[in-house]
Amino acid sequence: MVEPIRFSLNGSPVEAACRADVTVLEYLRLHAGLTGTKEGCAEGDCSACSVLFAATPTVDGTESQLKPVNACILLMGQVDGGALVTVEGLAASAHGGHPVQKAMAKNGSSQCGFCTPGIVTALAGLLEQNASPTEAEIHDALAGNLCRCTGYRPIVEAAFAAALENKPALPATVSKPSVSAGQDESRFLRPSSLDELQRMRRDHPEAVLLAGGTDLSLDVAHARSRWPLAILTNGVADLRAISETDSAITFGAAVTWDEMLPSLSAHWPSFATLVRRFGSAQIRAVGTLGGNLGTASPIGDGAPSLISLGAQITLAGSEGQRSLPLEDFFLDYRKTALSKDEIIAGITVPKLRADQQFRVYKVSKRYDQDISTVCGAFCVSLKDNQITEARIAYGGMAAVPIRVGAAEAALLNQPLCEATMEAAAQAVRESLTPLSDMRGTAAYRSNVAGNLLHRFARDLEGDTVEVMAL
């Protein structure tokens, strides 16, 4: 049985009779004849495949916004009810093309041109949300777009020039998605409540549970796997909510990183900086907190910060809900405390008290959008320069994101100084035995992990710490 995937494409309604696990990139190029969108890496890294996408529903019920996404790892079943705008749609939006396109051409901002459609789309998406971006915001919008031949200076200049022009209205009409879409060979189910999601999981235990898919969809896009059935979580209201009390914020598991950023910036700015580094604008628009934790990667950058902050993860199953400290959720490499019928419902993150300080540092070969060699997160309470509480967590140092109790003990009731930090650093080196791989040797990781404690102390003491990739 065919259940068409209904969405808006460049302002026109479309009913696509295709498998739900076809990538949007494949559909656009092979079925819709829109070849401006390119395939470079098929991993969401180069963003030559960028398109604008407005999803439904939003977290707060406001009007959906068009945001850049990677078409190479976005699947057709995910766009049901949404709106897509490609580089061809941008060209048709105004006489002579979109202001970004005209500025790029006038400024000589393209050479081979392969990456240009993705760059144009990324900048058009930025201007949809921010009519007068700063240079830092332009660089952030371009952080996921790879251009090897032009260099970014003329591209940034084109972005500034386009910001001075009147921006045309782009079609972002969304509709209520179907409960089921696709074909018998590949269908995506979209429950709207937690009870419905759990019922579907019981009825279809073989189905893939999919949120943003920025990790899982690589199986389809890169490894060419096929998914006969998937259950989407981003239509479940409970999983899309952000709630706040005086002492904590709870993020639903299907909340995207982009939707989390305002809260992170307000309460944990160091965490917000990290999020902008490990996920491009395209990834942040669809990638979710629950997905980041559920993959249980030892180098997932979300977990160390959350463990250091004392976050609790809530799991929902047939027996109801239960909460546990996030550090207890990770059992072994890619193994978690989830039982077969449980899902991640949400993560509750305590707000910092007045006496607390938090920082997270990522060391990687490339500053933006790179896998961590080491990620260290530190949260301490201070009274008269004495450390009264400490939580230290690392990624990239063990089979799971890990809290280091020995290092915390070395800090307790000690002054904030180099000697104290060296004692804690030594405890880290003695407690953890990281692996060697292409990103760094075990010895390098151990040294860096300890050195990050010294950086933390100097940061709190007000020293200027140069931000760079190591």
Side-chain angles (χ1 to χ4, degrees), residues 85-282:
V85 176
T86 69
V87 69
E88 292 90 349
L90 293 176
S93 66
H95 179 70
H98 189 277
V100 173
Q101 291 169 313
K102 290 188 282 189
M104 290 278 290
K106 184 177 181 180
N107 201 52
S109 304
S110 174
Q111 285 187 25
C112 79
F114 188 87
C115 63
T116 304
I119 287 172
V120 164
T121 304
L123 292 177
L126 170 65
L127 296 181
E128 277 287 290
Q129 302 169 61
N130 185 348
S132 301
T134 64
E135 183 167 353
E137 290 166 338
I138 291 170
H139 280 287
D140 181 57
L142 293 171
N145 290 84
L146 182 63
C147 179
R148 285 195 171 99
C149 54
T150 304
Y152 290 88
R153 180 191 54 78
I155 296 171
V156 172
E157 291 173 351
F160 277 123
L164 299 176
E165 304 296 326
N166 292 324
K167 268 69 75 177
L170 299 176
T173 303
V174 299
S175 59
K176 184 177 180 180
S178 304
V179 175
S180 176
Q183 299 178 340
D184 286 341
E185 295 83 2
S186 175
R187 287 186 303 129
F188 281 11
L189 305 179
R190 190 188 298 264
S192 58
S193 69
L194 195 54
D195 287 343
E196 190 178 12
L197 170 59
Q198 291 174 323
R199 177 184 60 77
M200 287 181 177
R201 286 208 75 194
R202 289 194 299 270
D203 293 345
H204 306 285
E206 79 288 357
V208 174
L209 195 65
L210 186 65
T214 55
D215 185 10
L216 290 183
S217 293
L218 293 179
D219 285 345
V220 175
H222 205 58
R224 304 301 181 191
S225 299
R226 287 301 183 192
W227 292 346
L229 190 65
I231 302 173
L232 297 170
T233 63
N234 59 3
V236 178
D238 288 346
L239 304 187
R240 299 280 295 137
I242 299 176
S243 58
E244 183 172 354
T245 66
D246 290 340
S247 59
I249 299 180
T250 297
F251 301 97
V255 173
T256 67
W257 289 109
D258 197 41
E259 293 162 341
M260 288 178 62
L261 266 177
S263 297
L264 299 183
S265 298
H267 297 282
W268 311 281
S270 184
F271 194 4
T273 298
L274 177 76
V275 169
R276 292 186 180 93
R277 287 185 60 190
F278 79 70
S280 65
Q282 290 88 338

Side-chain angles (χ1 to χ4, degrees), residues 297-300 304 372-375 394-402 434-435 445:
S297 170
I299 49 175
S372 285
T373 303
V374 177
C375 182
Y394 286 96
M397 294 291 291
V400 295
I402 193 166
L435 296 176
R445 282 187 162 97

Side-chain angles (χ1 to χ4, degrees), residues 24-39:
V24 170
L25 177 64
E26 181 180 348
Y27 176 84
L28 292 174
R29 293 185 60 83
L30 300 183
H31 300 279
L34 299 173
T35 55
T37 306
K38 309 299 184 185
E39 178 174 340

Side-chain angles (χ1 to χ4, degrees), residues 28-54:
L28 292 174
R29 293 185 60 83
L30 300 183
H31 300 279
L34 299 173
T35 55
T37 306
K38 309 299 184 185
E39 178 174 340
C41 64
E43 294 181 343
D45 282 339
C46 74
S47 296
C49 66
S50 294
V51 296
L52 297 180
F53 177 51

Side-chain angles (χ1 to χ4, degrees), residues 333-388:
Y333 179 75
R334 299 285 188 177
K335 184 179 179 181
T336 71
L338 278 169
S339 63
K340 287 185 177 180
D341 72 336
E342 285 184 317
I343 62 164
I344 300 173
I347 298 89
T348 300
V349 189
K351 295 178 181 177
L352 294 174
R353 303 190 308 266
D355 64 333
Q356 288 183 304
Q357 294 284 345
F358 167 78
R359 300 290 190 278
V360 57
Y361 307 110
K362 171 175 176 167
V363 177
S364 55
K365 290 188 174 183
R366 190 177 68 234
Y367 182 80
D368 285 315
Q369 328 314 323
D370 199 5
I371 294 172
S372 285
T373 303
V374 177
C375 182
F378 313 98
C379 186
V380 298
S381 299
L382 292 168
K383 183 177 181 180
D384 299 327
N385 204 46
Q386 295 285 112
I387 300 170
T388 58

